[in-house]
Amino acid sequence: MPIITLAAIDPQTRPAGLKTVMLVSDTSVLHMLGNGAVSGAILTLDNALSVNTVTDGDYCLAMILDRSLGADAVLVKEGWSWQSDTTISVGMEDSTLARYMLSRWLEHEQIPASAVIPRILLPTQHIAAFTNGQTDAIVTYQPFVERLRSRGAKVIFDSSTENVAVLNVLIVRKAVWPRAEPRVQQLKTKLWPQALTRLRQRDEAFWQGLSELTELTTDGLELALEGIQFVDLADQENAMQRLLAHDMPATSEYLIASGVHESIVPLTPCGASQ
């Protein structure tokens, strides 16, 4: 979101030849990758691994943007609790991330998967489903978490839980990497640091743009950002090493164990496998 915000309020900061598009859901991003409308995308690690697996290794890891420390969550109405003789209607996106968070919550609370009735919804439909009583629980991410909390929803499980790894990464199609690399490097070394600096310095125009994009008040935006650990340019190498050594193997293992994929095609850093 910081990159999209900066590109929106200061278009001249965007590298020539780089077009940024903000979509309303993970599903939309995956569709655009699938039909070739985009050459790269910012996805959570589990979604990125899923895309790389179904394409038999078409993508590489270009950058790590952030780690979720509470920005992905399961929410319910105040006072709700699961009774062992009942089913749970869960509103969720049709994505690997949503299934991952749902599985980790069920595992954490020792709730059998057979108790869940999934209700596939876009994130923009979560508030209506929640307020109308169409679901018992919602699996979503920021800024939709904060929008639901402002309407009385309670977070009962999130990505700050131990052994839950949710990271946002930039993946690029290997076939286009040679010509995309200069623009990605500009994004990584110029656009990303500028965006984080303006965010942390509470630049008025930047925060106003971010507020409009997320549809959150300043207070809501501050709460949403508390659950996100952004990865600075100087930390990219260490973050990549941690991802390759720990986050990716652990996430891959969980995706296989939970039945999302029979096997996983791992991602490699862009340039390393070209």
Side-chain angles (χ1 to χ4, degrees):
M1 191 65 76
I3 285 178
I4 299 294
T5 302
L6 185 58
I9 66 172
D10 284 335
Q12 71 276 10
T13 63
R14 189 173 58 216
L18 177 67
K19 182 179 181 181
T20 54
V21 181
M22 187 178 77
L23 301 171
V24 298
S25 67
D26 286 347
T27 304
S28 300
V29 177
L30 296 172
H31 283 165
M32 289 194 74
L33 281 173
N35 62 26
V38 294
S39 299
I42 295 171
L43 293 169
T44 54
L45 177 59
D46 46 1
N47 274 327
L49 283 169
S50 185
V51 168
N52 200 51
T53 296
V54 299
T55 60
D56 198 25
D58 278 359
Y59 294 87
C60 60
L61 272 170
M63 180 182 173
I64 303 171
L65 288 92
D66 59 65
R67 180 178 293 270
S68 174
L69 300 177
D72 299 78
V74 179
L75 301 95
V76 298
K77 288 189 175 180
E78 190 72 41
W80 180 90
S81 63
W82 177 65
Q83 305 300 317
S84 59
D85 60 343
T86 62
T87 56
I88 311 170
S89 175
V90 179
M92 56 188 287
E93 194 174 359
D94 185 17
S95 73
T96 304
L97 173 61
R99 291 189 288 272
Y100 174 77
M101 288 299 296
L102 174 64
S103 297
R104 299 314 299 253
W105 171 53
L106 297 179
E107 179 185 79
H108 187 265
E109 297 297 329
Q110 296 185 329
I111 298 173
S114 58
V116 172
I117 301 175
R119 182 176 172 81
I120 303 303
L121 301 167
L122 292 173
T124 50
Q125 298 173 309
H126 288 172
I127 289 176
F130 174 79
T131 55
N132 294 336
Q134 297 172 351
T135 63
D136 299 308
I138 296 285
V139 180
T140 193
Y141 49 86
Q142 294 288 12
F144 304 103
V145 169
E146 213 52 49
R147 293 183 198 173
L148 284 163
R149 288 181 61 187
S150 70
R151 289 162 174 81
K154 177 184 177 182
V155 173
I156 57 170
F157 180 82
D158 65 31
S159 51
S160 66
T161 306
E162 186 178 4
N163 296 325
V164 176
V166 179
L167 300 86
N168 279 311
V169 299
L170 171 62
I171 61 171
V172 177
R173 199 180 301 274
K174 290 179 181 178
V176 306
W177 174 249
R179 62 178 182 273
E181 181 179 7
R183 291 188 287 274
V184 173
Q185 288 302 320
Q186 284 185 289
L187 183 153
K188 183 190 295 188
T189 62
K190 294 182 178 180
L191 190 61
W192 182 240
Q194 286 181 43
L196 292 187
T197 296
R198 294 184 69 168
L199 173 68
R200 289 163 178 165
Q201 292 181 348
R202 297 187 67 89
D203 177 89
E204 184 177 352
F206 187 91
W207 272 70
Q208 179 62 34
L210 191 56
S211 179
E212 290 175 1
L213 284 173
T214 59
E215 298 181 20
L216 295 177
T217 63
T218 299
D219 289 344
L221 189 54
E222 289 177 343
L223 289 170
L225 290 171
E226 286 179 0
I228 303 174
Q229 181 184 69
F230 294 105
V231 180
D232 292 293
L233 176 61
D235 297 327
Q236 284 292 320
E237 185 175 346
N238 287 337
M240 185 67 75
Q241 290 177 355
R242 178 181 175 182
L243 182 150
L244 295 174
H246 175 70
D247 297 318
M248 187 160 61
T251 302
S252 299
E253 182 180 342
Y254 197 85
L255 291 174
I256 294 170
S258 59
V260 177
H261 293 287
E262 292 184 359
S263 61
I264 294 292
V265 177
L267 287 154
T268 55
C270 292
S273 60
Q274 305 306 305

